[in-house]
Amino acid sequence: MAAAFWVLIPARLASTRLPNKPLADIAGAPMVVRVAQRVAHSGAQEVVVACDSPLIAQACAAHGVRAVLTREDHASGTDRLAEAAESLGLPEDAILVNVQGDEPLIDPKLPAACAALLQRTPQIPMATCAHAITEAAEIFNPNVVKVVLDAQGRALYFSRAPIPWQRDAYTAGSGGWAMPGQPPHPVYRHIGLYAYRHRFLRDYAKLAPAPLEQAEALEQLRVLWHGHSIAVHVTEQAPGPGVDTLADLERVRAMWLER
Protein backbone atom coordinates (compact mmCIF):
# COMPACT_ATOMS: atom_id res chain seq x y z
CA MET A 1 0.00 0.00 0.00
CA ALA A 2 1.29 3.45 -0.92
CA ALA A 3 2.46 5.65 1.93
CA ALA A 4 0.04 8.31 3.16
CA PHE A 5 1.87 11.61 3.33
CA TRP A 6 1.40 15.37 3.37
CA VAL A 7 3.48 17.85 1.38
CA LEU A 8 4.47 21.08 3.11
CA ILE A 9 6.12 23.87 1.12
CA PRO A 10 8.02 26.53 3.11
CA ALA A 11 7.85 29.99 1.54
CA ARG A 12 9.60 33.11 2.78
CA LEU A 13 8.95 36.45 1.09
CA ALA A 14 12.41 37.93 1.70
CA SER A 15 15.22 36.69 -0.55
CA THR A 16 18.67 38.20 -0.84
CA ARG A 17 19.29 37.32 -4.47
CA LEU A 18 15.72 37.42 -5.80
CA PRO A 19 13.26 39.69 -3.94
CA ASN A 20 9.72 38.31 -3.45
CA LYS A 21 10.84 35.01 -4.96
CA PRO A 22 7.74 32.94 -4.05
CA LEU A 23 5.58 35.41 -5.97
CA ALA A 24 7.72 35.48 -9.12
CA ASP A 25 5.46 34.88 -12.12
CA ILE A 26 5.78 31.67 -14.10
CA ALA A 27 3.34 31.51 -17.00
CA GLY A 28 0.64 33.47 -15.16
CA ALA A 29 0.94 32.06 -11.64
CA PRO A 30 3.30 32.66 -8.69
CA MET A 31 6.23 30.28 -8.44
CA VAL A 32 5.12 28.80 -5.10
CA VAL A 33 1.73 28.03 -6.68
CA ARG A 34 3.46 26.27 -9.58
CA VAL A 35 5.36 24.12 -7.07
CA ALA A 36 2.12 23.24 -5.29
CA GLN A 37 0.44 22.40 -8.59
CA ARG A 38 3.28 20.06 -9.55
CA VAL A 39 3.32 18.13 -6.27
CA ALA A 40 -0.48 17.92 -6.26
CA HIS A 41 0.14 15.03 -8.69
CA SER A 42 2.37 13.21 -6.17
CA GLY A 43 -0.47 11.38 -4.41
CA ALA A 44 -0.17 13.44 -1.22
CA GLN A 45 -3.13 13.61 1.14
CA GLU A 46 -2.85 17.39 0.97
CA VAL A 47 -0.42 20.07 -0.21
CA VAL A 48 0.00 23.08 2.07
CA VAL A 49 2.20 26.17 1.74
CA ALA A 50 3.74 27.35 5.03
CA CYS A 51 4.43 31.04 4.52
CA ASP A 52 5.54 34.11 6.46
CA SER A 53 3.51 36.76 4.61
CA PRO A 54 -0.18 37.45 3.96
CA LEU A 55 0.80 38.33 0.38
CA ILE A 56 1.88 34.73 -0.23
CA ALA A 57 -1.23 33.36 1.51
CA GLN A 58 -3.46 35.58 -0.63
CA ALA A 59 -1.69 34.56 -3.85
CA CYS A 60 -2.14 30.89 -2.94
CA ALA A 61 -5.81 31.34 -2.09
CA ALA A 62 -6.39 33.06 -5.45
CA HIS A 63 -5.21 29.88 -7.18
CA GLY A 64 -6.96 27.39 -4.91
CA VAL A 65 -3.84 26.39 -2.94
CA ARG A 66 -4.08 26.05 0.84
CA ALA A 67 -1.62 28.13 2.86
CA VAL A 68 -0.99 28.66 6.56
CA LEU A 69 0.69 31.73 8.03
CA THR A 70 3.68 31.15 10.29
CA ARG A 71 5.98 33.43 12.24
CA GLU A 72 8.34 35.65 10.27
CA ASP A 73 11.37 35.01 12.49
CA HIS A 74 12.00 31.32 11.80
CA ALA A 75 15.68 30.56 11.26
CA SER A 76 14.99 27.82 8.71
CA GLY A 77 12.33 26.26 6.56
CA THR A 78 12.32 23.24 8.87
CA ASP A 79 11.33 25.41 11.82
CA ARG A 80 8.57 26.93 9.69
CA LEU A 81 7.24 23.50 8.76
CA ALA A 82 7.26 22.36 12.38
CA GLU A 83 4.96 25.27 13.29
CA ALA A 84 2.72 24.62 10.27
CA ALA A 85 2.40 20.91 11.07
CA GLU A 86 1.33 21.71 14.64
CA SER A 87 -1.25 24.24 13.45
CA LEU A 88 -2.68 21.70 10.99
CA GLY A 89 -3.16 19.18 13.81
CA LEU A 90 -1.55 16.33 11.87
CA PRO A 91 -1.07 12.95 13.62
CA GLU A 92 2.26 12.33 15.37
CA ASP A 93 3.08 9.45 13.04
CA ALA A 94 2.14 11.37 9.88
CA ILE A 95 4.80 11.48 7.18
CA LEU A 96 5.50 15.05 6.10
CA VAL A 97 7.46 15.85 2.95
CA ASN A 98 9.32 19.15 2.72
CA VAL A 99 9.36 20.40 -0.89
CA GLN A 100 11.26 23.63 -1.48
CA GLY A 101 9.18 26.52 -2.79
CA ASP A 102 11.68 27.36 -5.53
CA GLU A 103 11.50 24.00 -7.35
CA PRO A 104 8.65 24.48 -9.86
CA LEU A 105 10.00 21.71 -12.14
CA ILE A 106 10.16 19.04 -9.43
CA ASP A 107 9.23 15.51 -10.47
CA PRO A 108 5.96 14.69 -8.62
CA LYS A 109 7.16 11.09 -8.18
CA LEU A 110 10.02 12.21 -5.94
CA PRO A 111 7.98 13.22 -2.84
CA ALA A 112 6.06 9.95 -3.05
CA ALA A 113 9.27 7.90 -3.33
CA CYS A 114 10.82 9.68 -0.35
CA ALA A 115 7.69 9.13 1.74
CA ALA A 116 7.55 5.45 0.74
CA LEU A 117 11.18 4.96 1.80
CA LEU A 118 10.39 6.41 5.22
CA GLN A 119 7.37 4.14 5.55
CA ARG A 120 9.55 1.08 4.75
CA THR A 121 12.13 2.02 7.38
CA PRO A 122 10.14 2.62 10.60
CA GLN A 123 13.34 2.76 12.68
CA ILE A 124 14.56 5.84 10.76
CA PRO A 125 12.97 9.26 11.42
CA MET A 126 13.94 11.12 8.25
CA ALA A 127 14.60 10.53 4.54
CA THR A 128 15.95 12.51 1.61
CA CYS A 129 16.98 11.99 -2.03
CA ALA A 130 20.09 11.90 -4.20
CA HIS A 131 21.25 11.06 -7.71
CA ALA A 132 24.59 10.00 -9.17
CA ILE A 133 26.79 12.59 -10.85
CA THR A 134 29.87 12.07 -13.02
CA GLU A 135 30.75 15.54 -14.32
CA ALA A 136 33.89 16.96 -12.71
CA ALA A 137 32.41 20.48 -12.76
CA GLU A 138 29.53 19.33 -10.54
CA ILE A 139 31.63 17.18 -8.23
CA PHE A 140 34.07 20.01 -7.52
CA ASN A 141 31.36 22.72 -7.33
CA PRO A 142 30.79 23.78 -3.67
CA ASN A 143 27.23 24.81 -4.55
CA VAL A 144 26.47 21.17 -5.40
CA VAL A 145 26.00 19.30 -2.13
CA LYS A 146 27.31 15.73 -2.08
CA VAL A 147 26.24 12.85 0.16
CA VAL A 148 28.03 9.58 1.01
CA LEU A 149 25.92 6.51 1.79
CA ASP A 150 26.49 3.42 3.91
CA ALA A 151 25.69 -0.18 2.91
CA GLN A 152 22.03 0.26 3.97
CA GLY A 153 21.56 3.44 1.92
CA ARG A 154 21.73 5.79 4.92
CA ALA A 155 23.60 9.08 4.84
CA LEU A 156 27.09 8.98 6.34
CA TYR A 157 27.88 12.63 5.63
CA PHE A 158 26.88 15.62 3.51
CA SER A 159 29.43 18.10 2.20
CA ARG A 160 30.07 20.84 -0.31
CA ALA A 161 33.47 19.23 -0.90
CA PRO A 162 33.96 16.36 -3.40
CA ILE A 163 33.21 13.26 -1.31
CA PRO A 164 34.22 10.53 -1.25
CA TRP A 165 37.69 11.79 -2.17
CA GLN A 166 38.89 9.51 -4.98
CA ARG A 167 42.60 9.49 -4.08
CA ASP A 168 43.87 7.96 -7.31
CA ALA A 169 41.27 9.44 -9.65
CA TYR A 170 41.25 13.13 -8.71
CA THR A 171 43.91 15.70 -9.40
CA ALA A 172 44.35 17.54 -6.11
CA GLY A 173 43.49 21.22 -6.39
CA SER A 174 42.74 21.13 -10.12
CA GLY A 175 39.04 20.33 -10.08
CA GLY A 176 39.51 17.50 -12.57
CA TRP A 177 40.54 13.90 -13.17
CA ALA A 178 44.01 12.46 -12.79
CA MET A 179 43.11 9.66 -15.23
CA PRO A 180 40.71 9.11 -18.16
CA GLY A 181 37.15 7.98 -17.54
CA GLN A 182 34.87 8.57 -14.58
CA PRO A 183 35.43 8.21 -10.82
CA PRO A 184 35.54 4.54 -9.76
CA HIS A 185 33.06 5.04 -6.92
CA PRO A 186 29.63 6.72 -7.35
CA VAL A 187 29.40 10.35 -6.31
CA TYR A 188 25.90 11.36 -5.25
CA ARG A 189 24.41 14.80 -5.44
CA HIS A 190 22.02 15.57 -2.61
CA ILE A 191 18.52 16.66 -3.61
CA GLY A 192 17.07 19.04 -1.02
CA LEU A 193 13.76 17.25 -0.47
CA TYR A 194 13.04 15.71 2.93
CA ALA A 195 10.47 13.43 4.53
CA TYR A 196 9.99 13.36 8.31
CA ARG A 197 7.72 11.72 10.79
CA HIS A 198 5.74 14.52 12.43
CA ARG A 199 7.01 13.74 15.94
CA PHE A 200 10.60 13.91 14.71
CA LEU A 201 10.05 17.17 12.83
CA ARG A 202 8.86 18.73 16.09
CA ASP A 203 11.93 17.43 17.93
CA TYR A 204 14.29 18.35 15.08
CA ALA A 205 13.27 22.00 15.32
CA LYS A 206 14.39 21.96 18.96
CA LEU A 207 17.84 20.45 18.35
CA ALA A 208 20.79 22.74 18.97
CA PRO A 209 22.71 23.79 15.84
CA ALA A 210 25.77 21.61 15.21
CA PRO A 211 29.34 22.75 14.54
CA LEU A 212 29.48 20.73 11.31
CA GLU A 213 26.19 22.26 10.19
CA GLN A 214 27.59 25.75 10.74
CA ALA A 215 30.90 24.93 9.03
CA GLU A 216 29.27 23.51 5.89
CA ALA A 217 26.12 25.68 6.04
CA LEU A 218 24.06 22.47 5.68
CA GLU A 219 21.16 22.13 8.10
CA GLN A 220 20.75 18.37 7.60
CA LEU A 221 24.08 17.76 9.32
CA ARG A 222 22.33 18.67 12.58
CA VAL A 223 20.44 15.38 12.34
CA LEU A 224 23.59 13.27 11.95
CA TRP A 225 25.47 15.25 14.61
CA HIS A 226 22.79 14.42 17.18
CA GLY A 227 22.93 10.71 16.34
CA HIS A 228 19.87 10.27 14.11
CA SER A 229 19.81 8.43 10.77
CA ILE A 230 18.72 9.74 7.38
CA ALA A 231 17.60 7.23 4.73
CA VAL A 232 18.42 8.21 1.15
CA HIS A 233 16.33 7.44 -1.94
CA VAL A 234 18.59 7.34 -5.01
CA THR A 235 16.85 8.36 -8.22
CA GLU A 236 18.22 7.94 -11.73
CA GLN A 237 16.68 11.20 -12.92
CA ALA A 238 18.35 14.50 -12.08
CA PRO A 239 15.91 17.11 -10.75
CA GLY A 240 14.92 20.14 -12.79
CA PRO A 241 16.71 23.39 -11.98
CA GLY A 242 15.66 25.41 -8.95
CA VAL A 243 15.43 29.18 -8.79
CA ASP A 244 17.94 31.26 -6.85
CA THR A 245 18.66 34.13 -9.23
CA LEU A 246 16.94 36.10 -11.98
CA ALA A 247 18.86 34.09 -14.57
CA ASP A 248 17.53 30.87 -13.00
CA LEU A 249 14.01 32.29 -13.13
CA GLU A 250 14.26 33.13 -16.83
CA ARG A 251 15.56 29.64 -17.59
CA VAL A 252 12.74 27.97 -15.64
CA ARG A 253 10.14 30.19 -17.31
CA ALA A 254 11.39 29.05 -20.72
CA MET A 255 11.44 25.40 -19.67
CA TRP A 256 7.91 25.64 -18.24
CA LEU A 257 6.58 26.99 -21.55
CA GLU A 258 8.38 24.23 -23.45
CA ARG A 259 6.69 21.59 -21.27
Side-chain angles (χ1 to χ4, degrees):
M1 185 174 66
F5 64 97
W6 285 256
V7 168
L8 301 181
I9 304 171
R12 184 171 66 94
L13 193 62
S15 174
T16 304
R17 289 186 286 180
L18 189 60
N20 299 333
K21 184 165 69 169
L23 300 180
D25 182 84
I26 297 178
M31 178 163 56
V32 70
V33 168
R34 291 303 190 196
V35 175
Q37 290 172 338
R38 287 281 290 180
V39 295
H41 299 287
S42 66
Q45 301 290 109
E46 189 173 18
V47 176
V48 182
V49 173
C51 60
D52 69 344
S53 167
L55 294 177
I56 299 175
Q58 291 163 11
C60 289
H63 290 83
V65 173
R66 186 178 182 185
V68 295
L69 271 174
T70 60
R71 301 198 326 260
E72 295 182 12
D73 60 348
H74 283 304
S76 70
T78 306
D79 297 317
R80 193 173 307 286
L81 294 195
E83 181 189 346
E86 288 296 321
S87 70
L88 291 168
L90 297 178
E92 283 217 333
D93 60 350
I95 293 176
L96 313 179
V97 180
N98 176 352
V99 173
Q100 301 302 313
D102 56 6
E103 300 280 349
L105 299 178
I106 185 172
D107 180 355
K109 299 186 186 74
L110 212 50
C114 198
L117 174 58
L118 199 59
Q119 185 183 51
R120 294 196 305 270
T121 52
Q123 75 281 13
I124 295 178
M126 180 173 168
T128 190
C129 301
H131 73 96
I133 53 176
T134 57
E135 295 296 325
E138 287 192 303
I139 293 172
F140 288 87
N141 183 350
N143 295 316
V144 175
V145 177
K146 277 69 68 174
V147 58
V148 173
L149 312 181
D150 70 8
Q152 284 73 46
R154 297 170 300 194
L156 284 171
Y157 190 65
F158 298 86
S159 182
R160 298 182 182 278
I163 56 171
W165 180 256
Q166 318 267 355
R167 189 194 66 175
D168 297 325
Y170 293 166
T171 302
S174 73
W177 310 129
M179 58 181 67
Q182 297 175 352
H185 188 282
V187 179
Y188 293 106
R189 177 180 184 168
H190 177 232
I191 300 171
L193 179 149
Y194 303 96
Y196 326 83
R197 302 184 198 285
H198 182 193
R199 71 175 75 87
F200 179 72
L201 177 61
R202 183 182 57 230
D203 295 340
Y204 179 16
K206 298 174 184 176
L207 293 175
L212 290 175
E213 166 194 358
Q214 295 169 329
E216 295 259 17
L218 296 175
E219 185 188 6
Q220 64 270 31
L221 287 173
R222 186 184 310 181
V223 178
L224 301 184
W225 174 265
H226 287 280
H228 302 286
S229 295
I230 301 176
V232 182
H233 167 73
V234 176
T235 176
E236 294 184 1
Q237 183 177 349
V243 177
D244 288 315
T245 66
L246 184 58
D248 294 337
L249 178 60
E250 294 301 335
R251 178 172 55 161
V252 167
R253 282 171 170 164
M255 293 177 70
W256 185 277
L257 292 176
E258 287 175 4
R259 293 187 179 192

